[in-house]
Amino acid sequence: MWLGKLFSLAFVRVVMIFLLGFAAAIGLPSYGGAVRKAIAGWSPRLAWVAPAAVPGGTSPERLKAMSLALAAARQSFDKLTTEISKLQAQDIPDARPGFRRASQR
C-alpha cells in the first residue's frame, strides 16, 4: 500500500478519527435531530440518544415566566445604563498612563 510508505498506519488512524469527529461536530448542529432519531432507531439500547420531546404550544405559566424574566432583564439594563451615565457625568480621568481624553488635548 503506497500510503503506508508515506505515513505510519497509526498516524493515518489518528488523522481519520480526528476528521470524522470534526465532520460530526460540524454536521450535528444542522442535522442533529434527524441523526439522533436515526441512531436511536438502530437499537433499543440507543434510545437515550433520541431528542427529547418538545412540548407543543405555550402555556400561560410559561408566558408569565418569560415576561417576568424579560422585566427583570429590562430592570437590570436600566440600572446599568443609569450607573454608566453617572460615571460619565463624574468625568473621572482614566488611570492609564499616557491616556488623554479629547477634552484634555
Side-chain angles (χ1 to χ4, degrees):
M1 196 164 131
W2 65 272
L3 193 57
K5 294 178 182 177
L6 290 176
F7 301 106
S8 70
L9 189 58
F11 177 73
V12 171
R13 285 180 183 171
V14 169
V15 169
M16 290 300 292
I17 290 170
F18 175 77
L19 290 176
L20 282 171
F22 182 76
I26 294 296
L28 194 60
S30 299
Y31 303 104
V35 170
R36 286 177 180 224
K37 283 181 185 177
I39 292 173
W42 293 345
S43 170
R45 287 187 281 164
L46 296 175
W48 62 272
V49 178
V54 177
T58 55
S59 65
E61 295 86 19
R62 188 172 179 186
L63 288 175
K64 184 176 180 179
M66 286 192 312
S67 65
L68 289 174
L70 285 173
R74 176 65 187 207
Q75 188 177 15
S76 297
F77 180 74
D78 289 341
K79 182 188 276 188
L80 182 63
T81 55
T82 55
E83 296 221 2
I84 289 173
S85 298
K86 286 178 185 176
L87 288 175
Q88 288 176 343
Q90 289 177 359
D91 197 33
I92 299 173
D94 200 343
R96 289 182 280 171
F99 180 79
R100 291 185 181 173
R101 290 188 175 197
S103 61
Q104 294 175 347
R105 291 181 187 166

